Amino acid sequence: MVKTRMAPSPTGEFHIGSMRTLLYNYAFAKKNNGKFVLRIEDTDRERYVEGSVERMLDVIRYCGLDWDEGPEVGGPNAPYVQSQRLALYKNYALQLVEQDHAYYCFCTPERLEKMRADQRAQGVAATKYDRTCLSLSSEQVQQNLAGSMPYTIRLKVPKDEVITFTDLILGRVDYPSNDLDDQILLKSDGFPTYHLGVVVDDHLMGITHILRGSEWLASTPKHILLYRMLGWEMPATGHLPNLKEVGANKKMSKRFGDVSVTEFLRDGYLPEALLNFIMLLGWNPGTEKELYSVAEFIRDFTVAKIHSTDLVAFDRERLAWLNGYYIRSLADRELCTRLLAWAQKWQVQFGFDVDLRSEKAVGVIFIVKDRMRTLGDFMLLASYFFTEPQVDKLELAKYSGGNQAAILQAFYQLYTEVGQDAWVVNHLDEISHDFIQKNGLTPKEAFMTLRFAVSGQSATPPIFDVLGLLGKDTVLRRIKSAMT
Ligand code: GLU
């Protein structure tokens, strides 16, 4: 049975790249009627960020995804949190020592630091452990252990070997073993390093396929050695292209740019749009189709169509376009419901009072949604329907060439005479056009002045839609206040 996994480390926010890893592994498992495992790799205690596991699980579920085995749901290989499995890793580390594939190292952090500094001073770019402790006699090792000397356990990398592997995406990759450091497997705090933890758990949890970011490619030869030494079969593994900003030619750094999934959701990207965008970061069906639901993605996903390039562009414009598309596709009432749920979930303040269940809100959504690229755009696009706009008088004068008082006065007069029943978009459109024609005004000066006076904005949906929705009383009140 196919079994894939996503093995995040709770060292910060959940990034777009991690969501891609999750989606691809999820789709691969589902497509092959397999299982998808979520495992928390929290062995780096120094980089551990409190609360990040909970936030990550919450975001994954918010996006409508789930896992067959893992935290909260359990499964046959529980626990799925590495810090709860420490004894296990230690046993395998000791087994490797016993079999002469690993060794105790008693070097202090200070000695190691000096060793690295010396190597750098000699021009060595990739410093390596100098194997001092490999020559300790077994008596010395026993003595040190008996004296409770702190130790790590290191992998004894075989010399003069080419380690070869066939990546699912990149094809054949060769690594000279002499380039590899004698990697620490077990740290002095008793925690495994990523390399030991990941190999032990992928094996014990029956993982058959691994898709992960290219930043892990350099770790793969160490894992290959561990699988061989432990007598286990390595899962089929593929490395996904790194992400870059559009126009850049190097990998996107986590420190720059805003690529946390939570941030995008909080800014008002719909999960379905965000997921659709992420699916295409390194995978393409080979057709024109670019709108994908998760179900369609599972149906069409194949590893063969993952790009084997180094980098794929993270095109924020395309994401915004896709999000706008998904927003426009929602029915007005549904979009109101989504706005409400979004504001509640992320504690978004609109800055004005709006009842998103009201007919008025549905009406406003109807006319502004074509302009929304994020849910957050609602605030800017709709505010003047719910709160009095600030009308900048200097800017107002610009649209009318200084003639705003007369124009507004004339509109005021015209609209005062319209009965409440006749206050409908078509009628307003008709009488207003007649009126400007008779008075020799251009549509631009007349309607821009009117638009700015009632909304405080220079760009709005069609002006008569706006007037219709605002209602007669509000329109008259705003025209009057803009005149004074
Ligand atoms: N814990 C690693 C991470 O944070 C997992 C890498 C892998 O998939 O092997 O992404």
Side-chain angles (χ1 to χ4, degrees):
M1 186 188 62
V2 164
K3 211 171 183 189
T4 65
R5 53 62 164 186
M6 149 83 178
S9 295
T11 52
E13 289 314 312
F14 193 49
H15 282 268
I16 295 285
S18 308
M19 188 54 118
R20 180 186 62 177
T21 301
L22 188 152
L23 259 179
Y24 286 16
N25 282 289
Y26 178 88
F28 188 80
K30 300 289 160 189
K31 173 149 190 165
N32 292 288
N33 297 315
K35 293 246 183 289
F36 173 65
V37 177
L38 188 70
R39 179 176 71 232
I40 306 299
E41 299 200 332
D42 59 346
T43 56
D44 190 341
R45 303 315 284 177
E46 277 164 31
R47 295 179 58 217
Y48 184 81
V49 174
E50 201 61 45
S52 59
V53 174
E54 292 72 17
R55 284 200 293 279
M56 190 186 312
L57 303 188
D58 178 58
V59 162
I60 296 170
R61 288 208 170 100
Y62 182 77
C63 288
L65 302 168
D66 54 11
W67 49 97
D68 301 304
E69 296 175 25
E72 294 177 358
V73 303
N77 305 106
Y80 291 89
V81 178
Q82 287 191 326
S83 60
Q84 296 167 18
R85 301 165 64 82
L86 296 185
L88 217 105
Y89 310 117
K90 183 163 183 183
N91 282 341
Y92 285 109
L94 294 177
Q95 179 190 319
L96 289 166
V97 172
E98 198 121 303
Q99 295 168 337
D100 197 27
H101 292 310
Y103 58 95
Y104 287 100
C105 174
F106 301 94
C107 290
T108 62
E110 294 73 33
R111 171 171 192 270
L112 293 173
E113 194 34 61
K114 179 165 184 323
M115 173 202 80
R116 282 191 286 263
D118 290 347
Q119 290 183 14
R120 278 194 293 268
Q122 286 161 22
V124 178
T127 61
K128 288 213 273 303
Y129 180 57
D130 60 7
R131 294 198 145 179
T132 300
C133 288
L134 186 57
S135 51
L136 291 177
S137 68
S138 54
E139 290 75 33
Q140 271 171 314
V141 169
Q142 287 318 318
Q143 230 174 41
N144 289 348
L145 291 176
S148 298
M149 213 166 165
Y151 66 84
T152 61
I153 292 180
R154 287 182 183 272
L155 176 66
K156 188 172 157 192
V157 174
K159 291 285 131 193
D160 305 324
E161 203 188 296
V162 177
I163 303 166
T164 293
F165 127 96
T166 307
D167 188 282
L168 288 173
I169 299 160
L170 306 172
R172 185 183 157 136
V173 192
D174 292 331
Y175 310 90
S177 71
N178 291 355
D179 289 352
L180 297 179
D181 194 12
D182 279 359
Q183 177 67 51
I184 293 181
L185 300 175
L186 196 74
K187 296 182 274 189
S188 55
D189 61 4
F191 279 74
T193 54
Y194 155 68
H195 307 282
L196 180 62
V198 82
V199 167
V200 167
D201 283 345
D202 282 339
H203 174 73
L204 295 183
M205 294 178 183
I207 302 302
T208 59
H209 295 76
I210 298 171
L211 298 172
R212 63 180 173 202
S214 283
E215 66 267 36
W216 304 105
L217 188 59
S219 303
T220 304
K222 297 170 188 172
H223 302 179
I224 296 171
L225 289 176
L226 282 172
Y227 278 102
R228 189 169 85 194
M229 292 163 173
L230 290 163
W232 298 338
E233 196 187 329
M234 179 158 157
T237 303
H239 291 89
L240 308 169
N242 282 313
L243 305 180
K244 63 161 189 147
E245 294 287 356
V246 174
N249 58 6
K250 65 174 178 22
K251 181 180 170 218
M252 192 158 159
S253 153
K254 283 186 185 170
R255 280 174 299 134
F256 298 109
D258 189 10
V259 293
S260 122
V261 176
T262 314
E263 282 302 311
F264 280 107
L265 294 171
R266 190 180 289 136
D267 286 348
Y269 286 87
L270 299 173
E272 58 268 42
L274 195 57
L275 292 184
N276 191 159
F277 173 73
I278 294 171
M279 288 166 198
L280 300 170
L281 287 175
W283 174 86
N284 187 299
T287 66
E288 293 292 295
K289 183 171 166 65
E290 57 175 352
L291 297 173
Y292 269 94
S293 65
V294 171
E296 290 170 322
F297 181 59
I298 293 170
R299 185 196 64 201
D300 289 0
F301 181 76
T302 57
V303 172
K305 294 268 192 236
I306 296 177
H307 306 335
S308 57
T309 48
D310 287 352
L311 297 166
V312 287
F314 184 86
D315 187 345
R316 291 165 199 266
E317 260 309 299
R318 181 176 159 102
L319 171 58
W321 177 85
L322 259 180
N323 202 49
Y325 174 85
Y326 276 91
I327 287 178
R328 286 194 299 282
S329 316
L330 292 172
D332 303 332
R333 206 167 291 278
E334 166 71 2
L335 182 50
C336 280
T337 308
R338 297 285 297 264
L339 264 169
L340 184 61
W342 167 73
Q344 281 169 350
K345 168 80 187 170
W346 304 107
Q347 288 160 10
V348 174
Q349 303 293 333
F350 285 115
F352 46 83
D353 264 347
V354 47
D355 176 2
L356 286 161
R357 294 185 191 87
S358 66
E359 288 310 310
K360 177 172 177 189
V362 176
V364 170
I365 278 290
F366 171 70
I367 67 168
V368 302
K369 79 173 179 188
D370 282 0
R371 291 162 181 263
M372 287 171 64
R373 303 230 293 178
T374 65
L375 296 178
D377 285 346
F378 179 75
M379 261 103 95
L380 183 71
L381 296 173
S383 67
Y384 60 89
F385 288 104
F386 302 98
T387 185
E388 290 304 304
Q390 296 290 332
V391 178
D392 180 330
K393 297 286 159 60
L394 283 178
E395 196 172 345
L396 179 66
K398 260 183 13 201
Y399 299 114
S400 58
N403 195 22
Q404 71 277 11
I407 293 175
L408 291 175
Q409 177 61 45
F411 273 123
Y412 189 87
Q413 200 53 45
L414 176 73
Y415 294 151
T416 310
E417 284 157 24
V418 180
Q420 290 285 4
D421 288 351
W423 194 265
V424 286
V425 176
N426 287 345
H427 181 64
L428 292 169
D429 190 337
E430 217 177 283
I431 60 167
S432 306
H433 275 98
D434 274 358
F435 162 80
I436 64 162
Q437 217 167 19
K438 280 190 198 123
N439 289 278
L441 294 166
T442 67
K444 197 167 167 223
E445 62 182 330
F447 297 143
M448 278 307 289
T449 305
L450 183 60
R451 165 176 288 123
F452 199 76
V454 298
S455 71
Q457 299 195 10
S458 55
T460 68
I463 181 66
F464 303 109
D465 288 348
V466 173
L467 298 186
L469 258 176
L470 284 174
K472 178 175 172 180
D473 296 345
T474 305
V475 168
L476 290 180
R477 191 179 66 245
R478 290 191 184 173
I479 291 177
K480 195 167 200 172
S481 112
M483 278 185 322
T484 49

